[in-house]
Amino acid sequence: MAHVFISYKHNDEAFVNAMVAKLTEAKIDVWKAGDNIDAGEIWRDVIDQKIREAFAVVLAMTPDARTSEYVTYEWAFAMGLGKPIVPIVLSKTDLHPKLEPLQFLNFTVRFAEPWDRLIARLKELEAESLNPP
């Protein structure tokens, strides 16, 4: 089964872990770095492969993520592969000019996070990946 790849800055891991729990509860397979890369593996190769296998990339954006070369590499690599990118904004930040045309989900207001919209969109993208036009 394909998965959604989560791209994020590691200091946002508490939010990302909560998101993984919500998506998993909604029966969406999720992959994020963190503990999912074994000691001795070439982590860049693993990340590249997981992006290739993903049906979509969720991009958790904050000012730190915006300036992270690794986060930028992940979404740019995914974009180059034609993977759908779903930006979610965790704190006010300007998106990179290549991401500006993409509609984002606003997670900046505590307790008003659009979880249902995120889950619905990911289920749409997963279905599209299984049944391409």
Side-chain angles (χ1 to χ4, degrees):
M1 176 200 281
H3 58 263
V4 62
F5 181 96
I6 309 296
S7 179
Y8 67 101
K9 185 78 170 143
H10 287 281
N11 56 345
D12 298 317
E13 192 148 24
F15 176 87
V16 169
N17 287 337
M19 178 172 51
V20 167
K22 290 225 182 240
L23 297 180
T24 301
E25 182 180 309
K27 306 223 182 312
I28 296 172
D29 192 22
V30 179
W31 194 91
K32 69 175 188 73
D35 298 332
N36 290 319
I37 300 175
D38 293 327
E41 286 188 296
I42 300 171
W43 60 268
R44 288 183 178 143
D45 292 348
V46 174
I47 287 173
D48 287 357
Q49 186 60 37
K50 294 302 181 179
I51 292 171
R52 281 187 196 93
E53 294 170 356
F55 67 83
V57 172
V58 171
L59 175 59
M61 285 304 297
T62 60
D64 286 342
R66 167 73 163 85
T67 60
S68 167
E69 64 186 54
Y70 297 112
V71 171
T72 300
Y73 171 82
E74 290 169 355
W75 67 254
F77 184 67
M79 188 176 276
L81 294 172
K83 299 290 179 179
I85 298 172
V86 179
I88 62 172
V89 175
L90 305 183
S91 59
K92 186 172 175 14
T93 187
D94 293 326
L95 295 179
H96 185 281
K98 291 292 260 180
L99 297 171
E100 282 178 352
L102 300 177
Q103 181 61 43
F104 65 87
L105 292 173
N106 186 350
F107 278 75
T108 63
V109 179
R110 191 169 166 94
F111 304 114
E113 293 106 348
W115 292 111
D116 292 342
R117 290 181 59 204
L118 175 61
I119 289 166
R121 182 62 180 138
L122 291 176
K123 286 188 178 273
E124 287 173 8
L125 292 170
E126 183 175 31
E128 289 172 12
S129 75
L130 297 172
N131 302 305

